[in-house]
Amino acid sequence: MLAHPGQPPPERASSPVSPSGMDPAVPKATLKVLGLCVMLLVLVAAVTVSVAVMVWRSEAVGKLRGCRERAANESRELGNRVAELERDRTRLQQAAAAAARAEDALRRELAQARGDGKKLNVSLASCRERAARLEANVTALGNEVLALRRERAELARGKAALQEELAQGKEKALGLRQRLEAAVEQQRALRARGEQCEARQRELEATLRDYAAEVDALRRRRARDRATGRRKG
């Protein structure tokens, strides 16, 4: 409303004033603004925390998936390694069994070779003894042959002497008839003895040849036994 000229202006309606001199509506608005700011800050903080939790969860899920994949790969590799180790163990067990069988076979062969060696040693000793006996017999037969040869030589010399004496006795036939007959008889006896000596010599020579052949066969057999024993050893 306009004031008339000459009238004093109307007085404004005075609002109630707080004892401290401030308007009471101002603190309420400030508190509302502050409350809204606090709520906004809480909301922003909650959104930030939610985003952080989502990011952490995504990273954790990724890490967990990677760990699961690595664990699955390591589990497969471990299974393959275990299977390979099982195959290796099976091969080693088979190889050990084959080695044990081969060792048993070698032990049996060694025992058999030792038994054969003992038998060969016994046979060789027997052959040596027999060869020694044969050599002794051959030596004795050789000595006997030499004795017979000496006796034959003596008989030959006696025969020659008798023949010479017979030749001389022919000149003295008249007086030496009895002596001649005795000489003839002695010559006959010496001839028979000479024939016996010759037969005995032929028999001894044949026996000597048989013994020599047997000794040679024993030596060849002993050489074969030694060669066989060396190959088995």
Side-chain angles (χ1 to χ4, degrees):
M1 172 182 292
L2 294 175
H4 290 281
Q7 292 182 351
E11 294 180 1
R12 294 180 179 176
S14 61
S15 60
V17 180
S18 64
S20 59
M22 294 181 63
D23 190 356
V26 174
K28 292 180 180 180
T30 303
L31 291 174
K32 288 181 181 180
V33 171
L34 290 174
L36 290 174
C37 290
V38 171
M39 290 177 65
L40 183 61
L41 289 175
V42 171
L43 182 61
V44 170
V47 171
T48 303
V49 170
S50 298
V51 171
V53 168
M54 291 177 65
V55 171
W56 176 82
R57 184 177 180 182
S58 177
E59 292 178 355
V61 169
K63 289 181 180 180
L64 181 61
R65 187 180 295 110
C67 290
R68 288 179 178 176
E69 291 178 355
R70 285 195 300 271
N73 294 329
E74 291 177 358
S75 178
R76 284 194 298 272
E77 292 178 357
L78 183 60
N80 294 331
R81 182 59 178 168
V82 169
E84 184 178 359
L85 289 175
E86 288 292 335
R87 289 192 296 270
D88 293 339
R89 186 182 68 176
T90 303
R91 286 196 297 269
L92 289 175
Q93 289 177 351
Q94 293 175 354
R101 290 192 297 271
E103 185 178 359
D104 292 337
L106 288 175
R107 286 179 179 174
R108 289 192 296 270
E109 290 180 0
L110 181 59
Q112 184 177 2
R114 287 177 178 174
D116 293 340
K118 290 180 180 179
K119 293 180 181 178
L120 288 174
N121 290 330
V122 172
S123 178
L124 183 60
S126 178
C127 290
R128 286 177 179 175
E129 292 177 358
R130 189 172 181 184
R133 289 194 300 270
L134 289 173
E135 288 177 359
N137 293 331
V138 167
T139 303
L141 289 173
N143 294 331
E144 188 175 355
V145 168
L146 291 176
L148 289 174
R149 286 179 179 175
R150 286 194 296 268
E151 186 177 358
R152 184 180 178 183
E154 292 176 358
L155 291 174
R157 287 193 298 269
K159 183 179 180 180
L162 289 174
Q163 288 177 353
E164 185 179 356
E165 187 178 355
L166 181 60
Q168 292 177 0
K170 285 181 180 180
E171 296 178 357
K172 301 177 181 179
L174 296 175
L176 299 175
R177 181 67 178 261
Q178 293 179 354
R179 187 177 179 182
L180 179 59
E181 290 177 356
V184 170
E185 290 295 330
Q186 188 177 2
Q187 185 179 6
R188 289 176 181 174
L190 290 174
R191 186 178 297 170
R193 189 175 179 184
E195 290 175 357
Q196 290 177 359
C197 289
E198 288 177 358
R200 178 62 177 167
Q201 183 179 358
R202 287 193 297 270
E203 182 181 356
L204 290 174
E205 287 177 353
T207 305
L208 182 62
R209 285 194 297 272
D210 293 336
Y211 275 113
E214 188 174 0
V215 169
D216 189 29
L218 285 173
R219 287 177 178 173
R220 288 195 297 271
R221 182 181 176 184
R222 183 168 58 186
R224 287 195 302 270
D225 290 340
R226 286 180 179 176
T228 305
R230 288 177 182 174
R231 286 195 298 270
K232 289 185 177 182

